[in-house]
Amino acid sequence: MEQRSPEAASQKESVTPRFDHFAAIDWSGAAGLRQPGIAVAICSVGHDAPALVRRGHVWSRMDVLEWIAGEMPENTLAGFDLGQSLAFADAGAFFPGWHESPPDAKALWALVDRICAGEDNLAASRFVDHPEASRYFRRHGGRTGDRFGTGSGRFRITEHAQRAQGLNPYSNFNLVGAAQVGKSSLTGMRMLHRLDGRVPVWPIDPFPDEGSVIMEIYTSLAAIAAGLPKGRTKIRDGATLDTALATLGSGPHTPLPRYTDHITDALLTSAWLRTVAHDPALWSPEGLDAVAQTEGWTFGIR
């Protein structure tokens, strides 16, 4: 395992006391101005159940960006269910063979945002349809780029670690299938670019001594920690949600008029973040240092 300095270790061990709130955002890369698949939940230190932010609201991606930048409470640890970057370590580049291939994650965000300039609501269609960028993606209609690679596509180091933990990640270069997260990730990169310098993104930015932090999450981790079996981690009713919340040390939620897996994912993952953010091992997984500024990492993956 890579060795960290005493200062770095001390910093990670002191993370938890300074977060007062824990938010989870189930993100969406779907087309359109507003996405029913977006849900935002938040809880505070203690045992009260998480609550939905703007209950009943149908969010746009820009709504979420504006909430993060201007309304999210101070000292919030906020997790987004999206990939904050693309595979880099396997080929030494995001887009090997393309002269515009960026050197790190922040430059990747900037490239996606620049190519997609003019697309409303942080959409990223122009990037995946770009003459050069499209060569690296698998798209609908049997359109697999000549540089996509073979099989399931390229994976980040954190995604290989997800597989080792029994999860089933998709390559962010794969834009086909109900479980793909590539579209969400690319739209999320546009959001992260807009927030650069305003809210730090772990582990790409240095960890701040105070204030809020954004990170990447995998909602199935929360569900498994709450007792749901692997492969059946979606909750669509209030009773099951309360049972899962109780496993995480949380009180019961305020009943909702309707339940979707997007809503329950956000509520449950918010409670999970509150229970695990104190664990220094999750802030210092093996292999992180080599890819922190290029591929990033999924919080909770060891």
Side-chain angles (χ1 to χ4, degrees), residues 11 36 44 78 133 237 300:
Q11 181 189 57
S44 301
D237 68 274

Side-chain angles (χ1 to χ4, degrees), residues 160-171:
H160 287 296
Q162 290 170 20
R163 283 185 161 183
Q165 287 185 217
L167 300 171
N168 186 33
Y170 272 59
S171 167

Side-chain angles (χ1 to χ4, degrees), residues 215-239:
M215 59 171 50
E216 172 185 331
I217 54 174
Y218 196 141
T219 57
S220 291
L221 276 177
I224 292 168
L228 276 74
K230 292 179 181 178
R232 291 187 290 159
T233 58
K234 298 304 180 184
I235 297 174
R236 297 180 178 87
D237 68 274

Side-chain angles (χ1 to χ4, degrees), residues 172-193:
N172 287 334
F173 287 102
N174 177 27
L175 309 179
V176 179
Q180 62 85 18
V181 294
K183 293 177 182 176
S184 294
S185 299
L186 292 169
T187 59
M189 290 175 202
R190 295 195 67 192
M191 174 199 63
L192 295 175
H193 177 65

